[in-house]
Amino acid sequence: MSVAKVIEITASSGKSIDDAVKKGLSKTAESVKNIKGAWISDIKVATRDDGTITEWRVGMHVSFVVK
């Protein structure tokens, strides 16, 4: 029998949503093993006064198997 656990993380990137997700999963993998998937629950941006995007932010739920 396997047990799966889900944690919530937030990650950011000045480059793209994709990069924010990759950075978040990479950092999470430093301390969490057996990551099986993730889903994006939130996408936000930080902007300058003129509306130019300065940073992409994602909220993710990451699932992993506990052995």
Side-chain angles (χ1 to χ4, degrees):
M1 179 176 115
S2 295
V3 175
K5 191 169 186 176
V6 177
I7 58 173
E8 186 174 349
I9 67 162
T10 302
S12 64
S13 168
K15 189 175 171 184
S16 67
I17 295 170
D18 183 58
D19 192 50
V21 171
K22 287 177 181 176
K23 283 182 178 182
L25 288 173
S26 177
K27 187 66 175 175
T28 302
E30 291 177 12
S31 59
V32 175
K33 305 303 174 210
N34 303 314
I35 294 174
K36 299 301 177 192
W39 64 95
I40 310 306
S41 56
D42 218 7
I43 299 172
K44 297 180 181 179
V45 295
T47 65
R48 292 187 185 93
D49 290 341
D50 66 358
T52 306
I53 295 171
T54 59
E55 184 177 59
W56 293 92
R57 299 175 181 166
V58 294
M60 296 189 288
H61 290 80
V62 179
S63 62
F64 59 98
V65 174
V66 179
K67 293 190 177 192

